[in-house]
């Protein structure tokens, strides 16, 4: 099996150190940046017993398939509250059918559920105090120093008003893609996810004799903010997943297990594929 490079890991970096890391244009993992975040209590059980649990959301479900992470259009979408989804995530077997609302028809033992791309400002419109559970001030100060975002930009508030929430069960994830916009800071508040990352399209990087990365962009299927990967010369859309034997593991420079309390920096246009490895995340 291929050996992936290790990302830089740092603990409680200063604003200056964080800025220097961002400026390298390479992914890194930082611990200690989420100290004091109330969002660290947003476990499925915590959300289910919180006023935030009343928030209405949409859950994407698909039958458990260990060798694939499906595209977004391949699942069934079900309306539910965060509390119902939290109970579904915590439950199992017949118990899920007792308190899962619309999710009762989808046994926890047979389906993977994902509540993804949830813009916090819209999700918690009736609970605006929830946005204060997130505090990106340390990260934004470093991003301003490294000129990743413009200093004083009103659109980059330090609370959760520009953040999205991702909540899912084991196996939930996204196929290989890069984001069409900016950079990403990912705060893992609970559970764990496995990330695989590689340099942007057109970036020549040598590794183990490979002259270039075999991941190439395609706009099929179309998604406004994501550009998916094509992994063969025929132009066929394919999906290099984390657990699939045909996923060309050599496509990936870094493999990261992101655990609760850690933050991952994903540079602009870097390929990544993500899967939840804990019971829920």
């Amino acid at each position: 099996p291929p050996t992936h490079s290790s990302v830089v890991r740092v603990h409680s970096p200063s604003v200056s150190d964080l800025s220097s890391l961002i400026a390298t244009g390479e992914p890194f993992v930082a611990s200690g940046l989420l100290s004091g975040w109330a969002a660290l209590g947003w476990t499925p059980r915590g959300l289910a017993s919180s006023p935030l649990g009343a928030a209405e959301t949409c859950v994407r479900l698909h039958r458990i398939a260990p060798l694939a992470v499906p595209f977004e259009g391949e699942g069934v979408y079900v309306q539910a509250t965060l509390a119902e989804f939290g109970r579904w995530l915590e439950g199992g077997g017949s118990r899920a059918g007792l308190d899962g609302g619309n999710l009762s028809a989808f046994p926890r033992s047979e389906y993977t559920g994902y509540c993804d791309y949830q813009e916090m400002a819209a999700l918690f419109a009736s609970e605006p105090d929830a946005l204060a559970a997130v505090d990106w001030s340390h990260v934004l100060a470093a991003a301003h120093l490294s000129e990743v975002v413009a200093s004083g930009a009103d659109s980059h508030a330090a609370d959760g008003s520009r953040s999205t929430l991702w909540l899912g069960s084991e196996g939930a994830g996204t196929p290989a893609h890069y984001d069409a916009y900016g950079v990403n800071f990912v705060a893992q508040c609970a559970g764990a996810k496995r990330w695989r990352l590689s340099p942007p399209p057109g970036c020549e990087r040598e590794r183990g004799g490979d002259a270039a990365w075999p991941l190439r962009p395609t706009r099929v299927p179309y998604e406004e903010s994501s550009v998916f990967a094509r992994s063969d010369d025929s132009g066929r859309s394919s999906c290099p997943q984390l657990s699939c034997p045909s996923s060309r593991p050599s496509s990936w420079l870094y493999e990261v297990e992101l655990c609760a309390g850690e933050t991952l920096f994903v540079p602009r246009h870097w390929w990544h594929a993500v899967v939840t490895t804990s019971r829920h995340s």
Side-chain angles (χ1 to χ4, degrees), residues 68-149:
V69 176
F71 286 107
E72 292 156 14
E74 296 176 332
V76 176
Y77 288 82
V78 176
Q79 293 296 123
T81 65
L82 284 182
E84 289 168 343
F85 189 38
R87 288 191 290 266
W88 186 88
L89 288 171
E90 287 284 0
S94 60
R95 180 186 170 197
L98 297 177
D99 51 14
N102 292 335
L103 300 171
S104 300
F106 302 89
R108 176 72 170 80
S109 58
E110 298 177 20
Y111 284 84
T112 292
Y114 209 19
C115 171
D116 55 2
Y117 292 107
Q118 300 298 301
E119 296 183 358
M120 285 178 54
L123 182 65
F124 299 130
S126 62
E127 294 283 347
D129 290 347
L131 302 181
V134 168
D135 181 9
W136 293 111
S137 55
H138 195 76
V139 166
L140 280 175
H144 290 149
L145 277 180
S146 58
E147 299 182 349
V148 168
V149 298

Side-chain angles (χ1 to χ4, degrees), residues 45-218:
R45 182 173 300 175
L47 287 171
S49 60
S50 159
L52 301 182
E56 295 278 348
T57 187
C58 187
V59 179
R60 173 164 53 96
L61 299 120
H62 58 84
R63 287 195 176 273
I64 293 173
L67 298 183
V69 176
F71 286 107
E72 292 156 14
E74 296 176 332
V76 176
Y77 288 82
V78 176
Q79 293 296 123
T81 65
L82 284 182
E84 289 168 343
F85 189 38
R87 288 191 290 266
W88 186 88
L89 288 171
E90 287 284 0
S94 60
R95 180 186 170 197
L98 297 177
D99 51 14
N102 292 335
L103 300 171
S104 300
F106 302 89
R108 176 72 170 80
S109 58
E110 298 177 20
Y111 284 84
T112 292
Y114 209 19
C115 171
D116 55 2
Y117 292 107
Q118 300 298 301
E119 296 183 358
M120 285 178 54
L123 182 65
F124 299 130
S126 62
E127 294 283 347
D129 290 347
L131 302 181
V134 168
D135 181 9
W136 293 111
S137 55
H138 195 76
V139 166
L140 280 175
H144 290 149
L145 277 180
S146 58
E147 299 182 349
V148 168
V149 298
S151 180
D154 292 337
S155 61
H156 298 282
D159 64 9
S161 58
R162 299 284 292 178
S163 298
T164 54
L165 178 68
W166 303 67
L167 180 65
S169 61
E170 183 176 8
T174 52
H177 70 286
Y178 69 83
D179 297 318
Y181 53 83
V183 302
N184 280 311
F185 286 93
V186 182
Q188 190 70 33
C189 293
K193 284 184 174 179
R194 181 172 299 130
W195 287 70
R196 281 181 173 167
L197 305 107
S198 279
C203 178
E204 299 282 338
R205 297 277 299 274
E206 291 189 1
R207 174 181 172 272
D210 290 340
W213 302 99
L215 296 176
R216 295 177 303 279
T218 178

Side-chain angles (χ1 to χ4, degrees), residues 192-272:
K193 284 184 174 179
R194 181 172 299 130
W195 287 70
R196 281 181 173 167
L197 305 107
S198 279
C203 178
E204 299 282 338
R205 297 277 299 274
E206 291 189 1
R207 174 181 172 272
D210 290 340
W213 302 99
L215 296 176
R216 295 177 303 279
T218 178
R219 292 304 271 168
V220 180
Y222 179 79
E223 207 280 328
E224 182 179 5
S225 60
S226 300
V227 179
F228 292 101
R230 185 182 73 190
S231 66
D232 60 19
D233 293 330
S234 69
R236 176 178 59 85
S237 261
S238 59
C239 195
Q241 307 305 345
L242 295 178
S243 56
C244 182
S246 62
S247 65
R248 288 191 178 184
S250 60
S251 299
W252 304 103
L253 176 60
Y254 295 118
E255 183 171 293
V256 178
E257 188 81 7
L258 193 66
C259 299
E262 295 182 331
T263 304
L264 170 68
F265 172 63
V266 182
R268 181 179 175 84
H269 289 172
W270 270 62
W271 293 109
H272 51 282

